[in-house]
Amino acid sequence: MQKSEELIGKKVLVTAGATYEPIDPVRFIGNRSSGKTGAALAEEFYLRGAEVYLIYGNIHVPLPTYSGIKKIYTPTAQQMFDVCVKLFTDVDMAVLAAAVADYTPIQFSTVKIKKEDGEMTLHLKKTPDILKTLGEQKKQNQILAGFALETNCLIENAQKKLTSKNADVIFANICSEENPAFHVDENEIVALFKNNQMKKLGKNKKYILAEKMVDELVMLLHDKI
Ligand code: C5P
């Protein structure tokens, strides 16, 4: 089922899910992202005719089954970074919906770390920032979209992210008791654009919000052409 042809000839990269940063063979640093939004976005882009690369980490939803969506599994931030940087030069748009871990252990223990008495210290280093790096590499005709999930000062932080990462749009979703955002079907999203325009996409099922986000991104892409 193809819904439209509006993105025929366009290539889109979507990231989805959580990266898991390994501590030892059985433990990792991760987060609660399910990958639902990223998977829905990839499917929606595909149904509108785009050639889609879905770069996914650890997800808790079925992957889109369309064989036309190229799926690449990147369990860690570094692996996701390497694939995204390589593919970015070849795409018209990148939508980074993955919840990438901000920190990763400096050392990976090849054997399971034994429990000992007292406290334990884990030394962490920052992961590479995919959104920021793609923002630095972005060409004039490319669109870059990121996400912001905050528990407070959402709009202010999303606006800062828009500028500091050189994105064209940031989709901001608040994480609160009423809108937990992770592992649920619904979400509430506000889109913030480069020209300071702000658009409420409302509270809805994640797949409906994916349609609305793709509508906005199609308009941005057409503006650039
Ligand atoms: O800075 P923060 O992690 O809140 O930014 C979230 C946005 O940045 C998301 O779009 C996420 O996919 C992206 N991101 C990234 N690489 C990182 C961290 C976040 O691409 N290392």
Coordinates of all heavy atoms in Angstrom, one line a residue, residues 10 40 59 68 102 110 115 131 157 190 202 224:
K10 N 13.4 10.6 -3.2 CA 14.0 11.2 -2.0 C 14.5 10.1 -1.1 O 13.9 9.0 -0.9 CB 13.0 12.0 -1.2 CG 12.5 13.2 -1.9 CD 13.6 14.3 -2.1 CE 13.1 15.4 -3.0 NZ 14.2 16.0 -3.8
A40 N 7.5 4.1 13.3 CA 6.3 4.6 12.7 C 6.8 5.7 11.6 O 6.2 5.8 10.5 CB 5.4 5.3 13.7
I59 N 15.1 -2.0 20.3 CA 13.7 -1.6 20.2 C 12.8 -2.7 20.7 O 13.1 -3.9 20.7 CB 13.3 -1.1 18.8 CG1 13.2 -2.2 17.8 CG2 14.2 0.0 18.3 CD1 12.7 -1.8 16.5
G68 N 11.4 -2.9 1.4 CA 12.0 -1.7 0.8 C 12.7 -0.8 1.8 O 13.4 0.1 1.4
D102 N 23.9 9.1 26.5 CA 24.8 10.3 26.5 C 26.2 9.8 27.0 O 27.2 10.5 26.6 CB 24.3 11.4 27.4 CG 23.1 12.0 26.9 OD1 23.0 12.2 25.6 OD2 22.2 12.4 27.6
T110 N 35.5 -7.9 29.7 CA 35.1 -9.1 28.9 C 34.5 -10.2 29.8 O 33.9 -11.1 29.2 CB 36.3 -9.6 28.1 OG1 37.4 -9.8 29.0 CG2 36.7 -8.7 27.0
K115 N 30.3 -9.1 42.1 CA 29.7 -8.2 43.2 C 30.7 -8.2 44.3 O 31.2 -9.3 44.7 CB 28.4 -8.8 43.6 CG 27.7 -8.0 44.6 CD 26.2 -8.4 44.8 CE 26.0 -9.9 45.0 NZ 24.7 -10.3 45.1
L131 N 23.5 14.0 16.2 CA 22.7 15.2 15.7 C 23.7 16.3 15.5 O 23.6 17.0 14.4 CB 21.6 15.5 16.7 CG 20.7 16.6 16.3 CD1 19.9 16.4 15.0 CD2 19.6 16.9 17.5
N157 N 14.7 24.4 26.3 CA 15.7 23.5 26.0 C 15.7 23.0 24.5 O 16.7 22.9 23.9 CB 15.7 22.3 26.9 CG 16.2 22.6 28.3 OD1 17.1 23.4 28.5 ND2 15.6 22.0 29.3
V190 N 5.4 19.1 20.2 CA 5.4 20.5 19.7 C 6.6 20.6 18.8 O 7.7 20.1 19.1 CB 5.6 21.5 20.9 CG1 5.7 22.9 20.3 CG2 4.5 21.4 21.9
G202 N -0.1 18.3 18.9 CA -1.2 17.8 19.7 C -0.8 16.5 20.4 O 0.3 15.9 20.3
K224 N 13.0 23.8 0.5 CA 14.4 23.9 0.2 C 14.7 23.7 -1.3 O 15.8 24.0 -1.8 CB 15.2 22.8 1.0 CG 15.2 23.1 2.4 CD 16.6 23.2 2.9 CE 16.6 23.7 4.4 NZ 17.9 23.8 4.9

